[in-house]
Every structure is written in structure tokens, then in C-alpha cells.
């Protein structure tokens, strides 16, 4: 088998979902559709034309890229396909920085490729019940420019298309203003049987609590919130509210560089596939 690497299209979505299930990942169609829309999905096929492996490179201008969905079919494990796909994605990256979130299983490979482990990220999931504060309001189309600018200042990258997707597709999108200026925002969107709170940008814990509380009010499904290790008070708050920590991944950056932007306001990533 040659396992030539190719660029996949949305027509390969079913194969991506099947590959995810093969590796006991959730078949998250909505997340995959978003990655096909924003990023470049690379894949290899076996002799029968079935997907044997994938990885996704999502670039935000020339500032930052995120690598995700590094998957190799169980029957093709141990052949170096994951490393080949990673090397291909890194060669295609044309940005100042490259990041990813690693499981304990994948971290050794990423370290061999030059990534350095940074802050842990904890996934919290459950029937979250926290009091809303009425400090935020629903975002409206006129907020798009201000939210895009705030997101860019926070992440150091032009994520305009992602922010536009949130305005068009998120079930809930709220902003927090101070003196007439938007200083925080957050989104929540349905992903299979979970309500994903992602992303959240806020100046402090109280602002973050206000956004998360109102994004999850009357949620009709379990809530997922991914929080940084440094956000100890927020993690305790969501755990007390009913969302238990279910797993931990590790933020990794190529070359050990510091991520761009004002990361003090970076509370919840826009899914671990995008940073």
C-alpha cells in the first residue's frame, strides 16, 4: 500500500466519521463539517479506497495554525501513518505558530516532531446548573465587527471566518459590554447530545461566569466546557454546578513558542480542533 496523502472533500465526511468511530471517538458530524469549511483535511486510503488516516490543518492568516483529528485506522496502526500525516500538515503550514491539543497517547509523537507541552486543558461535562446573572445580552449582527476584533486581539490571529460561523450557526451567542464596549463574548452550539460552550473570551472570572451561566441557562442536554489549568476558580465553579471533569489534554506549541495574543482573556477554546 502506498498510502498517498491527498486533500479530502466534504464527500469524504462519512469516511471521516467511520474512522473516528473505529478509534472510539464520537462521530461529530457538525465539528467535521466546520473543519472542512475552515481548514484543509488530509487523508490516506487503503487499497479498498477506505480512509486509513486523517489530519486537519486550519490556518488563521499567517499568524497561527491548529492541527487536529490525527486519526489512523486501528488495522493500520504501527505503520507510521500518523507521523507521515503530521509531517505533511507541518510542511503545509505557513504560519508563525502551530498548536494542537494532545492526548496522552499522541503526546510522545508530537514531542518528537518538535512540539512542547504547555498548559493542561480540562474537559468538564454534565448537567450544568449555575445561576444566570443578566449581565450579558444576545449578540446581534451589528456586533460582528466588534466581536471579530476582540477575538483577534485575544488569540493574535484573524479568525474572521470562525466568528462569522458562530454568528450564523451557534444556537446561543452572547456578548458582555462595559461602558458601551464589548469586552467579552461566548457561544454555545449543539454537538450530538452535548451543548458545547465554545469559545468564551472574558476579562475576568466574574465575566466568564456571567457568559457561561447565560449561555447554558435551561440547556436541554449535558453541557461541555473545556477550561485551562490556570482557571482553577472557574473549574471549581462548573464542577460544583454539576459538570464533572471527564478528561484532560495538553496544549502543545511547535518549538515551545508562546501563543500570540492576549491569552489572559482566553477562557474556553473554540473546540480543541481549532484552539
Amino acid at each position: 500500500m502506498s498510502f498517498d496523502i491527498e486533500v479530502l472533500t466534504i464527500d469524504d465526511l462519512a469516511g471521516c466519521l467511520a474512522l473516528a468511530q473505529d478509534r472510539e471517538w464520537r462521530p461529530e458530524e457538525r465539528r467535521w463539517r466546520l473543519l472542512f469549511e475552515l481548514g484543509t483535511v488530509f487523508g490516506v486510503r487503503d487499497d479498498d479506497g477506505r480512509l486509513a488516516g486523517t489530519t486537519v490543518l486550519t490556518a488563521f492568516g499567517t499568524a497561527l495554525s491548529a492541527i487536529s483529528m490525527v486519526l489512523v485506522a486501528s488495522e493500520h496502526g504501527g505503520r507510521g501513518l500518523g507521523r507521515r500525516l503530521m509531517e505533511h500538515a507541518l510542511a503545509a503550514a505557513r504560519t508563525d505558530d502551530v498548536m494542537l491539543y494532545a492526548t496522552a497517547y499522541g503526546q510522545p509523537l508530537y514531542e518528537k516532531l518538535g512540539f512542547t507541552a504547555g498548559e493542561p486543558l480540562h474537559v468538564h461535562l454534565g448537567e450544568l446548573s449555575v445561576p444566570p446573572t443578566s449581565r450579558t445580552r444576545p449578540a446581534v449582527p451589528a456586533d460582528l465587527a466588534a466581536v471579530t476584533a476582540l477575538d483577534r486581539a485575544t488569540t493574535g490571529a484573524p479568525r474572521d471566518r470562525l466568528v462569522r460561523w458562530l454568528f450564523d450557526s451557534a444556537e446561543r451567542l452572547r456578548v458582555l459590554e462595559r461602558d458601551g464596549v464589548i469586552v467579552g463574548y461566548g457561544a454555545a452550539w449543539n454537538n450530538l447530545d452535548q451543548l458545547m460552550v465554545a469559545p468564551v473570551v472574558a476579562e475576568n472570572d466574574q465575566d466568564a461566569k456571567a457568559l457561561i451561566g447565560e449561555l447554558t441557562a435551561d440547556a436541554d442536554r449535558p453541557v461541555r466546557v473545556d477550561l485551562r489549568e490556570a482557571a482553577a476558580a472557574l473549574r471549581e465553579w462548573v464542577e460544583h454546578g454539576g459538570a464533572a471533569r471527564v478528561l484532560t489534554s495538553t496544549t502543545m506549541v511547535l518549538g515551545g513558542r508562546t501563543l500570540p495574543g492576549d491569552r489572559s482573556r482566553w477562557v474556553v477554546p473554540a473546540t480543541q480542533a481549532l484552539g
Side-chain angles (χ1 to χ4, degrees), residues 60-170:
F60 301 106
T62 60
L64 180 66
S65 291
I67 292 179
S68 62
M69 302 305 193
V70 184
L71 286 164
V72 175
S74 55
E75 65 181 293
H76 298 300
R79 303 185 183 187
L81 286 183
R83 184 180 187 117
R84 281 189 56 211
L85 284 161
M86 278 294 301
E87 290 174 338
H88 189 87
L90 288 172
R94 297 290 187 269
T95 54
D96 296 333
D97 293 296
V98 183
M99 71 167 297
L100 54 79
Y101 290 101
T103 63
Y105 178 80
Q107 186 169 333
L109 169 62
Y110 307 140
E111 289 175 340
K112 290 176 183 177
L113 293 172
F115 286 84
T116 299
E119 187 177 20
L121 185 75
H122 304 290
V123 176
H124 296 78
L125 180 66
E127 303 289 342
L128 185 63
S129 178
V130 293
T133 64
S134 301
R135 294 180 55 214
T136 75
R137 64 167 174 81
V140 297
D143 297 323
L144 176 61
V147 171
T148 301
L150 175 60
D151 186 88
R152 182 178 296 205
T154 301
T155 64
R159 306 198 307 176
D160 305 37
R161 293 174 64 205
L162 171 60
V163 176
R164 166 60 74 181
W165 182 87
L166 294 171
F167 269 78
D168 291 342
S169 302

Side-chain angles (χ1 to χ4, degrees), residues 5-25:
I5 298 174
E6 61 184 273
V7 175
L8 304 182
T9 72
I10 194 64
D11 292 337
D12 296 299
L13 175 61
C16 293
L17 297 177
L19 181 60
Q21 290 181 290
D22 172 69
R23 298 315 307 234
E24 299 184 348
W25 287 26

